[in-house]
Structures are given as C-alpha cells and as structure tokens.
Amino acid sequence: MARFATLAFLSTAALPGAMAWGAMGHETVAYVASNYVSSATKSYFQDLLGDTSADYLASVAAWADSYRYTTAGKFSAPFHYIDANDNPPSSCGVDLDRDCGSEGCIVHALQNYTTILLDQKASNANLQIAAKMVIHFAGDIGQPLHCEALEVGGNDIDVQYDGDDTNLHAVWDSNIPESISGGSSLSSAKSWASDLIKEIDSGDYKSQAAGWVSGLSVGSADSQTSTALKWATESNAYVCSTVLKGGISAVENKDISGSYTTTAQPVVDLQIAKQGYRLAKWLDAIVAAI
C-alpha cells in the first residue's frame, strides 16, 4: 500500500480532467456534512481551519482542485480518482490492486490523509491540508466518472449540452448538478443542501441513511481503505447503470441536456446527499479517535 510519505514527494504532472462536481457540488457535499457533524467535530474543524462561520467546511471544499494545478500540489493530481479498468456498460467494478496506480489514487489518498489527522503529528499547516483533502475526496469519490478509466473518465467523450460543446465528465461535474441546484453559486449550494437534508431527515433518503454509513470505520488503515473502496465501487456501478448505460455511442457527439439529464439527476442527488452524510460521520469518527 502506498503511504503518504511516499506519495507526497512524487512529481507527476497534473492529468487532464475537470473538477469533480465543480465547486458548487463540493460545497453542497460540505453543507450537508455540516448539518450532521457533532458539536465536537464542528469545534475541532472550525479551530483547525480558522473559520467559525457556518461555511467552515464549504469554504475549503474545492481547495484541492486548485492545489493540484500548483507546483507544490501537482503530486496530488492522481489522488482525485481511481481508474477502474472495467468494461462498461457490460461490466463495472473496481479492483484496488489493478486500478490504483503507482502514483496513488483516491482510495489510498483518503486513507492517507485520514491517518495524518488521526496521528496529530503533522504541523498545523499540514493538518489543515489533510483536512481539506479529506473534505474534498469524500466528494470526488461519489462522482461515478472519478471511479472509471474509460476515455480518461469520460473526458475524451465529446458531447453537447444545451448546444455547447463539452465532454461527458464535465457534464457530470457541473451541468447536471447545476440543472438541479439552479446555479453555480454558494447560495445555490446552500439551497440544494437544504433540500437534500430534508430528504435525509424526513424524505426518500430517511430509510437509506443508516445504510450509507454501515461499516464505516477509521479504526485502522485497512478499515479506512475498505470503507473508501466500498464508496468507490458504489460510484463506479453507476457508470454501467446510468452514465454509459447505452454505451459511448449513445452519448458521443449528442446533446445530452434532455432526457439523459433527467435520468441522471436522481443519481447525482443521491450521490451528493450520500457523500455529505458520509463525510459528517467520517469526520466525527476522526475527532472521536483523536
């Protein structure tokens, strides 16, 4: 298993790819998480991040996407995804040994940065980085195309959206989320998170929420990895069932802002809600163990 001490000093070039969920999607995950963390968790991360506002998680949720394109942060580019070398739409699946490259992947990165927070041996600046990475990767791992290798996670599948040229990955990152929230602003994220919280508390997700965090554990590196791999595998399954259900030919060079988006919206809603709730319980488990 690749460890952070090894990964941190790699200088791999940032690979092409859009920002998973876009900033607004990551902020929505963070706002959902903020609603469910314990008071101890809220206090710990507000103190660590130096932000006592209600936006303390959301304000850093997209930071890792900027960091990956800096000289200091380019080593972290592969940490945002895992390249499942499966065969959608006929078969989907994540194999950690096969799919997590030597430069790292999101499953090991989530485990590594979680361990840094648990150990409490790093400098305050590095603990802040670890927190920002965990907050971000908990969102990334819920985006199906961040758990898929085909056509660079859909980046090389050209499509149109409302008449504009784009690619399939970008549509899942931003266009579909914004079609649900109504925009790309912080206020859009807050509003969308509020709707999802209602569904978790008293709506369609109420009966599912406990299952989302079943088996969640930060008790060991192995349990952290197992939990992250479970999340990645769930996301990857949607590549076969929804993202590329009809194969590449069903979407390539087509405008997918109509019925395709309508079909995809419930999956995006679910994944954002699920990862926000999971992030809350993950952060709670970290703080409880410190």
Side-chain angles (χ1 to χ4, degrees):
M1 180 185 299
R3 310 302 287 188
F4 177 78
T6 299
L7 295 173
F9 293 102
L10 292 171
S11 293
T12 57
L15 299 179
M19 297 183 289
W21 298 132
M24 190 276 299
H26 279 288
E27 289 158 1
T28 306
V29 169
Y31 280 127
V32 172
S34 297
N35 187 73
Y36 294 106
V37 294
S38 70
S39 58
T41 298
K42 178 181 178 180
S43 295
Y44 174 80
F45 283 101
Q46 284 187 329
D47 181 63
L48 175 62
L49 297 169
D51 183 355
T52 59
S53 77
D55 306 328
Y56 69 103
L57 296 181
S59 65
V60 299
W63 175 86
D65 274 329
S66 298
Y67 182 65
R68 67 182 288 191
Y69 293 111
T70 67
T71 300
K74 64 182 181 180
F75 74 90
S76 68
F79 300 175
H80 292 249
Y81 53 82
I82 184 167
D83 280 335
N85 287 281
D86 48 9
N87 189 34
S90 61
S91 65
C92 280
V94 179
D95 183 310
L96 191 58
D97 291 335
R98 178 193 67 190
D99 301 329
C100 190
S102 60
E103 297 157 349
C105 68
I106 195 166
V107 172
H108 284 324
L110 187 55
Q111 179 269 310
N112 283 323
Y113 286 109
T114 296
T115 296
I116 289 169
L117 287 170
L118 288 167
D119 286 349
Q120 291 288 293
K121 296 176 182 177
S123 66
N124 195 65
N126 283 331
L127 287 174
Q128 289 177 342
I129 289 175
K132 293 173 184 178
M133 293 295 200
V134 168
I135 292 163
H136 185 85
F137 294 148
D140 272 355
I141 206 167
Q143 211 277 46
L145 287 170
H146 273 249
C147 301
E148 178 56 53
L150 185 68
E151 298 292 348
V152 196
N155 278 287
D156 287 350
I157 300 176
D158 294 329
V159 300
Q160 289 83 44
Y161 198 91
D162 276 340
D164 294 330
D165 292 335
T166 183
N167 66 75
L168 188 63
H169 191 113
V171 167
W172 275 82
D173 276 352
S174 299
N175 296 106
I176 297 173
E178 288 171 20
S179 76
I180 299 170
S181 69
S184 59
S185 66
L186 196 66
S187 63
S188 296
K190 288 181 179 180
S191 177
W192 188 13
S194 179
D195 290 341
L196 295 176
I197 289 164
K198 289 176 184 175
E199 292 299 321
I200 294 169
D201 288 346
S202 58
D204 290 343
Y205 300 152
K206 184 176 181 180
S207 63
Q208 302 177 38
W212 294 345
V213 294
S214 176
L216 183 153
S217 174
V218 301
S220 68
D222 285 346
S223 64
Q224 294 162 26
T225 301
S226 177
T227 299
L229 181 60
K230 175 184 176 181
W231 296 352
T233 300
E234 285 182 13
S235 296
N236 166 265
Y238 286 113
V239 177
C240 282
S241 67
T242 307
V243 181
L244 288 170
K245 184 177 182 179
I248 293 175
S249 62
V251 296
E252 191 167 33
N253 297 318
K254 295 179 172 62
D255 193 306
I256 59 174
S257 58
S259 60
Y260 179 93
T261 291
T262 301
T263 299
Q265 285 172 334
V267 173
V268 173
D269 263 333
L270 175 61
Q271 290 300 97
I272 294 288
K274 187 190 294 181
Q275 292 311 122
Y277 191 78
R278 284 170 164 170
L279 174 59
K281 302 307 177 182
W282 191 261
L283 297 180
D284 278 352
I286 290 170
V287 172
I290 293 175

